[in-house]
Amino acid sequence: MTLLMDATPQVKELYPLPLVPRPWVLSSLFAAFNVVLLVFFSGLFFAFPCRWLAQNGEWVFPVITGPLFALTFFSLVSLNFSDPGILHQGSAEQGPLTVHVVWVNHGAFRLQWCPQCCFHRPPRTYHCPWCNICVEDFDHHCKWVNNCIGHRNFRFFMLLVLSLCLYSGALLVTCLIFLVRTTHLPFSTDKAVAIVVAVPAAGFLVPLSVLLLTQAVSVSSADRTYKVKCRHLHGYNPFDQGCASNWYLAICAPLGPKYMAEAVQLQRVVGPDWTSVPNLHPPMSPSALNPPAPTSGYLPTGKGSPRVW
């Protein structure tokens, strides 16, 4: 197992003030309210307009909307309780006085020190101010589910957005068809419920479709929503491996083991096309002479000049 670490003394750096933990009761209640809201409107839909269509021989509507509701409910609950890729707090032996650099496809990344979690954050890792945790491959904090979206639950987030788009569209189309089929009938509770369900379905369908399209573009370019991580030198994104590979890594690739240790360890097996890089600068401080447990990185042996962030 080959490791890459560049430890040099750090002269002076200003760190942000410690984050004050935000109250979690209201955000948790809001996430639970969203689950109840989904179940409530779905219950109205299946009990009134969908029931009327099924009783009149239109079984295709409950056959389609039923599995979509189950998929949406499953993805919503799974995302609420999923692990976004939490990197637990490091050991007290680590300190901010050294600079750690890792290389990704000829791009050098200086690991930022997290004063809250006490370790150097890997590339594309961010400390969420709402959850007060560091999340691997951080995308954003979703207030609708009161959870961060990161490396380990990004596929659940995409599944939720996709299922919500399909389910909202199915609700809207079914309610409109029901209203058209019952134009010759007097106004009833079924029609009122169909209107009540169709209005929020139409209201959520447009922003959800925009969100799905935005996320699809981000996945295709191996980018993330968090704006700080989208700054790449000269338009070069070292994490971009092509559209097909990016989708495979984001949706289908194995997630790997969870980081459950007290100190963050990012050690992986190094293939034959990787090589270690020795210290680029001589140690000039006691902390550099005896560095703490390093964060791992790798340098590809291919040709090309490195870029530094």
Side-chain angles (χ1 to χ4, degrees), residues 217-256:
V217 173
S218 299
V219 173
S220 300
S221 58
D223 218 332
R224 287 295 178 264
T225 303
Y226 185 56
K227 59 182 180 181
V228 173
K229 298 195 304 177
C230 298
R231 300 172 182 172
H232 302 300
L233 189 62
H234 303 303
Y236 171 76
N237 183 359
F239 300 95
D240 188 2
Q241 302 185 22
C243 182
S245 298
N246 294 338
W247 275 97
Y248 169 77
L249 293 174
I251 305 299
C252 305
L255 295 176

Side-chain angles (χ1 to χ4, degrees), residues 59-128:
W59 285 97
V60 64
F61 296 103
V63 168
I64 294 177
T65 55
L68 286 178
F69 166 73
L71 180 62
T72 303
F73 182 80
F74 166 77
S75 57
L76 179 60
V77 175
S78 300
L79 190 60
N80 271 275
F81 297 98
S82 62
D83 174 21
I86 300 174
L87 301 181
H88 293 266
Q89 293 189 357
S91 63
E93 298 177 357
Q94 302 191 41
L97 299 181
T98 56
V99 175
H100 298 267
V101 176
V102 295
W103 296 74
V104 179
N105 292 336
H106 308 291
F109 288 81
R110 177 182 177 274
L111 303 187
Q112 300 295 326
W113 172 257
C114 180
Q116 289 80 27
C117 297
C118 299
F119 63 81
H120 290 85
R121 294 195 298 261
R124 312 190 95 177
T125 299
Y126 178 70
H127 189 93
C128 177

Side-chain angles (χ1 to χ4, degrees), residues 181-266:
R181 299 282 177 84
T182 58
T183 52
H184 62 285
L185 299 177
F187 190 80
S188 61
T189 305
D190 292 346
K191 288 188 176 182
V193 172
I195 296 175
V196 170
V197 174
V199 170
F204 279 104
L205 182 59
V206 175
L208 285 173
S209 301
V210 174
L211 176 61
L212 181 62
L213 179 61
T214 303
Q215 291 294 336
V217 173
S218 299
V219 173
S220 300
S221 58
D223 218 332
R224 287 295 178 264
T225 303
Y226 185 56
K227 59 182 180 181
V228 173
K229 298 195 304 177
C230 298
R231 300 172 182 172
H232 302 300
L233 189 62
H234 303 303
Y236 171 76
N237 183 359
F239 300 95
D240 188 2
Q241 302 185 22
C243 182
S245 298
N246 294 338
W247 275 97
Y248 169 77
L249 293 174
I251 305 299
C252 305
L255 295 176
K258 293 184 179 181
Y259 302 118
M260 298 302 295
E262 294 182 358
V264 176
Q265 300 292 333
L266 299 178

